[in-house]
Amino acid sequence: MNQNFDILIVGGGAAGFFTAINIAEKHPKTKIAILERGKEVLSKVRVSGGGRCNVTHACFEPNELVKFYPRGEKELRGPFHQFCSGDTIEWFEKHGVELKVEDDARMFPVSNSSQTIIDCFITATQKLGITVLTGQSVQSIFKKEDFWKVETQNAQYIATKLVLATGSNPKIWEMLQAQGHAIVSPVPSLFTFNIKDGRIKELPGVSALATVTVKDTKLSSTGPLLITHWGMSGPAILKLSAWGARILHDKNYQFTIFVNWLNDLDAEEVEKRLKNLKQEQAKKMVSKKSPFELTNRLWESLVLASGIQSETKWADLSKNQMQQLVSQLTKGTFQVNGKSTFKEEFVTAGGINLKEINFKTMESKLHKNLYFAGEIVNIDAITGGFNFQNAWTSGFILANAI
């Protein structure tokens, strides 16, 4: 038995719901259905941002915003000029959800709960008469003369226009390949580094503003670095993982990093400062108090790693020990052995080849009346609300075009 709709949206996540609501608000008589394979909708929204939902980022200039997308930077420039972070704030306000900006420019609902976003979407779909069907795992997609036919394990649906908002779903990607679309193979994008090293073993929870570089590559990133029980995390590491998603995957997540714990101070400058300390604090112990913006615990660990005993006084530092300390501070070498998923925010690089999409409409260049929203395409961003912003923008543009 076929169920007929004007527009069928596959994927009951952020992009799918946002698209459906925006289409229905512009064209109230349109018959729209959302198909979700899971038992419940918006499950990724629920866990995102530690259960608070990092809705967007307070970066309001499209040309700046695109710089947070390792894949999609060029393609999103036009779309962001149509619907940017400011438009997102306004949209949610209109729908009864106030957002707030935190110190790091991430934006959350004032309620501090992702449930607010979920309620907003569910209420809107009910009010607009959008059909939401769960437990519908798509088995096949057919293109007929002027409509699309979608089969799930227990039903068949027919629609004039088909929107795919299935995120990183390999099964759907395979179906699209069968329809002639090229898929960029998915690799993990946001992950932390597994490092076993005596220098950081006792320091989980300690952070520093650092610059991290991957040996034998051009990959480098600056920002807060957080030491964890399994290695290193924090924005500096997550940025590297996103920009280096392909390169690090090809290295099988076995590689060497250099850490400058003093961020932008170079070896020469650090050596100069240490020589001054040798004179000014001659009688004091080197390991006791950090002379830089590092915690005392991290400083002590790096001092010991430089072959300097904990009782050694500044006056007694040998030239060799001085060199070792400069090296530990500005170019500490660490071996990375594998990766860990960052919280529940599993993001992949990969998806539909961007050349096959019209970014003015989000329509497939290969098939008329086939549209894409959200992470199904080869676009991904670093952490901070940017992946959601891509979902809102693509959904909005699609709704306008459709």
Side-chain angles (χ1 to χ4, degrees):
M1 173 77 182
N2 291 334
Q3 297 188 48
N4 289 17
F5 292 94
D6 298 316
I7 297 168
L8 199 56
I9 296 172
V10 182
F17 267 79
F18 198 77
T19 305
I21 293 163
N22 278 282
I23 296 171
E25 286 180 342
K26 289 185 179 69
H27 310 284
K29 291 197 171 73
T30 313
K31 225 180 142 196
I32 304 167
I34 297 174
L35 300 184
E36 164 57 43
R37 64 177 170 169
K39 284 193 190 72
E40 58 171 62
V41 293
L42 301 163
S43 50
K44 210 169 168 184
V45 171
R46 188 181 300 285
V47 296
S48 80
R52 296 194 301 142
C53 189
N54 184 184
V55 176
T56 186
H57 202 90
C59 171
F60 304 112
E61 174 46 55
N63 295 340
E64 285 303 306
L65 188 58
V66 292
K67 291 179 184 161
F68 294 96
Y69 295 80
R71 282 144 294 270
E73 182 178 347
K74 190 171 94 248
E75 290 78 8
L76 285 172
R77 196 164 278 133
F80 282 159
H81 275 92
Q82 282 186 57
F83 193 88
C84 204
S85 330
D87 303 299
T88 299
I89 298 165
E90 201 181 317
W91 191 95
F92 279 102
E93 244 167 44
K94 258 194 205 140
H95 291 80
V97 179
E98 292 275 328
L99 301 180
K100 58 171 179 173
V101 186
E102 304 213 332
D103 294 344
D104 56 7
R106 291 185 306 162
M107 297 197 72
F108 293 89
V110 170
S111 67
N112 268 331
S113 167
S114 55
Q115 193 60 46
T116 309
I117 304 296
I118 295 171
D119 293 345
C120 165
F121 285 168
I122 301 287
T123 306
T125 50
Q126 287 168 348
K127 198 176 90 189
L128 294 159
I130 296 164
T131 307
V132 179
L133 302 158
T134 52
Q136 297 295 317
S137 176
V138 172
Q139 305 301 314
S140 61
I141 295 170
F142 299 104
K143 188 187 187 186
K144 303 290 185 188
E145 298 74 54
D146 48 3
F147 62 86
W148 289 88
K149 183 179 175 186
V150 173
E151 287 184 345
T152 65
Q153 78 279 39
N154 49 18
Q156 289 187 4
Y157 301 93
I158 282 175
T160 319
K161 295 176 192 293
L162 177 61
V163 177
L164 297 178
T166 45
S168 308
N169 181 334
K171 209 166 110 186
I172 299 289
W173 280 335
E174 269 174 38
M175 290 176 207
L176 283 167
Q177 268 177 316
Q179 300 279 352
H181 267 290
I183 304 296
V184 178
S185 63
V187 298
S189 171
L190 284 183
F191 49 85
T192 60
F193 294 177
N194 296 354
I195 299 168
K196 278 196 167 65
D197 192 292
R199 288 167 289 177
I200 59 172
K201 189 170 179 255
E202 304 297 328
L203 302 176
V206 168
S207 68
L209 190 60
T211 296
V212 187
T213 313
V214 179
K215 188 183 173 186
D216 299 331
T217 71
K218 290 182 175 149
L219 291 171
S220 182
S221 158
T222 297
L225 183 158
L226 175 69
I227 297 170
T228 66
H229 288 286
W230 58 89
M232 292 180 188
S233 182
I237 298 296
L238 293 167
K239 267 192 277 186
L240 265 192
S241 77
W243 289 97
R246 296 248 156 238
I247 296 167
L248 302 180
H249 172 262
D250 293 344
K251 290 182 180 291
N252 202 18
Y253 308 108
Q254 312 284 323
F255 52 93
T256 302
I257 57 170
F258 302 120
V259 178
N260 181 345
W261 294 102
L262 305 176
N263 183 14
D264 50 0
L265 291 181
D266 61 14
E268 212 174 302
E269 172 67 26
V270 172
E271 189 172 357
K272 207 160 80 184
R273 288 206 197 177
L274 293 179
K275 281 179 176 163
N276 286 343
L277 286 162
K278 192 174 154 109
Q279 289 174 328
E280 290 162 13
Q281 311 215 13
K283 292 199 165 64
K284 292 191 174 163
M285 281 191 250
V286 179
S287 67
K288 281 297 162 261
K289 192 172 184 315
S290 166
F292 298 99
E293 285 184 20
L294 291 180
T295 66
N296 290 334
R297 286 171 65 208
L298 178 55
W299 165 254
E300 186 183 7
S301 173
L302 297 175
V303 168
L304 295 174
S306 309
I308 301 164
Q309 302 298 321
S310 53
E311 295 79 38
T312 307
K313 295 188 170 67
W314 279 102
D316 303 330
L317 268 195
S318 71
K319 197 175 172 187
N320 184 28
Q321 287 173 322
M322 181 84 85
Q323 289 298 300
Q324 288 292 328
L325 184 52
V326 170
S327 174
Q328 286 291 348
L329 288 165
T330 61
K331 204 180 180 178
T333 307
F334 292 86
Q335 190 55 44
V336 177
N337 233 322
K339 60 168 179 44
S340 295
T341 304
F342 176 63
K343 296 187 177 163
E344 308 84 2
E345 303 186 13
F346 188 66
V347 175
T348 56
I352 300 159
N353 190 322
L354 303 182
K355 291 189 174 74
E356 301 177 349
I357 300 157
N358 176 353
F359 278 88
K360 288 190 170 72
T361 59
M362 298 313 294
E363 188 175 16
S364 158
K365 287 181 181 175
L366 276 60
H367 300 287
K368 212 172 150 42
N369 294 328
L370 174 63
Y371 297 83
F372 307 114
E375 270 182 53
I376 184 171
V377 305
N378 184 27
I379 285 178
D380 63 284
I382 64 170
T383 178
F386 302 106
N387 285 301
F388 274 135
Q389 186 55 50
N390 169 44
W392 316 139
T393 296
S394 53
F396 179 84
I397 284 179
L398 201 163
N400 267 358
I402 215 163

